[in-house]
Amino acid sequence: MIDWRGAVLGAWRGTRGGPTVTYGLIAACCLLFVISPVSGLNPGYGTGDELLAAQGAYFRRWGVVPAELMSGDARALLTPLTALFVHGSWLHLLGNMLFLYVFGAMAEERMGPVEFCLFYLGTGYIALLGYAVAHADSEQTLVGASGAISAVLGAFLFLFPRSRVTSLFPFLFFLPLRFPAWIVLIFWFTLQWLAARAAGAGPGVAYLAHVVGFSVGFLYAWGRFRGGDRVKAPAAATEGESQP
């Protein structure tokens, strides 16, 4: 007899096969970027002005336009999900995927793959929605997984505050140094918050989405796991690089 209850619980909480959701999200974002007009690798989109027009249409179709989202347009209501898989440049993509790779695996292991997947998509939606509410009249398109990844960072801060991460700090001449996660992530959050206060609704980085995502992710982890065990020992190290 198949133990369906055990299978379902194993899928929800189990970690067999590694962080499959984290790797799957990275693979999906990379694949969609490569075949999109933004990568410049797909000859079907042409070159020059033709390529620029294709890129603009791509962002407009799959990204979040706050004014459209706040109007209640049915199609626009899905864009906070689709925008999580759209990136504006190679640097944008690689930076986000690096953060997801470094912090996502341990968060997924703690939550389980199904819960982590729902957490990632749900908090990412909320982060982009929060930005749209604050800039309800903006016609600028918002894309990227930064909001969802910021939520992963927030959850990581609560779950693994003393895990050590390798970080590059500009004012320390970009030397790779290892610090407890709580130092790196609080420093990163402070920078995002300060930048969000100074930023407008024009082109650039949507720092407010980072602040909203981080806050929601931390509060979710606090509400979900505050009665359970937290990893406090510094021995559980996270390998990789993070740029605050």
Side-chain angles (χ1 to χ4, degrees):
M1 177 180 294
I2 299 176
D3 183 6
W4 291 108
R5 181 174 179 274
V8 172
L9 291 176
W12 181 267
R13 299 294 306 156
T15 59
R16 296 178 181 177
T20 54
V21 173
T22 298
Y23 294 158
L25 290 169
I26 293 173
C29 287
C30 291
L31 176 61
L32 291 173
F33 182 83
V34 168
I35 65 176
S36 76
V38 187
S39 70
L41 300 178
N42 191 334
Y45 292 107
T47 58
D49 292 340
E50 185 180 9
L51 178 60
L52 292 177
Q55 291 174 352
Y58 176 74
F59 291 141
R60 192 83 184 183
R61 179 176 181 182
W62 302 112
V64 175
V65 180
E68 294 180 1
L69 181 60
M70 292 298 99
S71 72
D73 178 76
R75 187 201 65 82
L77 292 176
L78 291 176
T79 56
L81 286 179
T82 58
L84 296 177
F85 298 91
V86 178
H87 289 84
S89 67
W90 282 99
L91 184 61
H92 188 201
L93 172 72
L94 295 177
N96 276 349
M97 295 305 100
L98 175 60
F99 269 75
L100 181 56
Y101 174 78
V102 170
F103 295 98
M106 288 178 66
E108 179 182 345
E109 181 177 354
R110 184 69 177 87
M111 295 182 185
V114 176
E115 182 178 358
F116 179 76
C117 182
L118 295 176
F119 166 83
Y120 182 91
L121 296 176
T123 55
Y125 190 104
I126 293 172
L128 297 184
L129 178 63
Y131 179 90
V133 170
H135 303 286
D137 298 326
S138 175
E139 295 286 342
Q140 294 291 334
T141 306
L142 179 64
V143 298
S146 301
I149 296 171
S150 297
V152 173
L153 301 185
F156 192 98
L157 174 60
F158 180 82
L159 295 172
F160 310 102
R162 296 186 185 177
S163 294
R164 303 183 73 84
V165 295
T166 302
S167 305
L168 301 177
F169 289 90
F171 57 83
L172 294 178
F173 304 103
F174 294 98
L175 294 175
L177 302 173
R178 293 181 66 77
F179 293 96
W182 70 269
I183 294 178
V184 175
L185 294 179
I186 289 178
F187 178 77
W188 179 88
F189 177 78
T190 302
L191 291 181
Q192 305 307 303
W193 180 72
L194 292 174
R197 294 187 61 186
V205 180
Y207 294 106
L208 180 59
H210 299 177
V211 172
V212 173
F214 188 96
S215 302
V216 172
F218 182 88
L219 290 174
Y220 176 87
W222 175 80
R224 173 72 172 83
F225 297 101
R226 59 180 171 174
D229 296 330
R230 295 170 65 191
V231 178
K232 298 180 180 180
T238 297
E239 298 295 339
E241 294 180 350
S242 60
Q243 292 183 337

